[in-house]
Amino acid sequence: MSTRPVKTVLLVEDKSGLADAIREAFNHQGPYAFNLSHAWSMEDAEKHLALHSADVVLLDFALADAAGLEAVTRTHAAAPGSSILLLCSENEEQIASAALQGHVQGC
C-alpha cells in the first residue's frame, strides 16, 4: 500500500473564523495528505518561509499588513518555488485576477 506524498501548505489568513474553516477542511483530507501551517500576517508568513518551505501558499488578498499585489509580490519573494492561491471575496476577484496576471508575467 503506497501513501500519498505530504504537501506542505502555508495558510496566510488574519480572520480566525475563515482560518478555522480552512483548517477543518484540510483535516478531513487525511493525516498524510497535507502539513498545514498558519501565519496570521504577512510578516509572520515571511518569517515562516525563511525557515520552512511550502509547496502551496494560501494567501489572503486583504491582509492588514499587506494587501493586493504587495502581498503577492512579498509571498513570491519569500517562496519563489511555491504555488500561490489567493483567498479573496467576490468584490476583490477582478483586482486579484489582474494582480496575479501582472505578477505571473514577471516570473
Side-chain angles (χ1 to χ4, degrees):
M1 176 190 204
S2 64
T3 60
R4 294 183 289 172
V6 175
K7 294 291 183 182
T8 57
V9 179
L10 176 61
L11 170 62
V12 187
E13 175 59 64
D14 57 0
K15 294 167 198 71
S16 61
L18 185 54
D20 290 343
I22 291 170
R23 188 178 0 263
E24 184 65 24
F26 273 86
N27 286 340
H28 288 289
Q29 300 303 312
Y32 302 105
F34 301 99
N35 179 5
L36 180 68
S37 299
H38 179 215
W40 290 97
S41 66
M42 190 70 236
E43 181 181 359
D44 289 345
E46 288 168 323
K47 288 177 183 176
H48 178 87
L49 291 167
L51 299 172
H52 309 281
S53 64
D55 295 310
V56 178
V57 178
L58 297 176
L59 179 63
D60 182 356
F61 193 67
L63 292 166
D65 66 337
L69 184 56
E70 177 188 356
V72 174
T73 301
R74 287 173 63 180
T75 301
H76 182 71
S82 299
S83 297
I84 302 170
L85 299 176
L86 288 180
L87 304 173
C88 60
S89 69
E90 286 184 46
N91 298 338
E92 300 164 330
E93 189 174 334
Q94 278 189 320
I95 298 167
S97 178
L100 274 181
Q101 288 175 5
H103 187 73
V104 170
Q105 290 172 358
C107 294

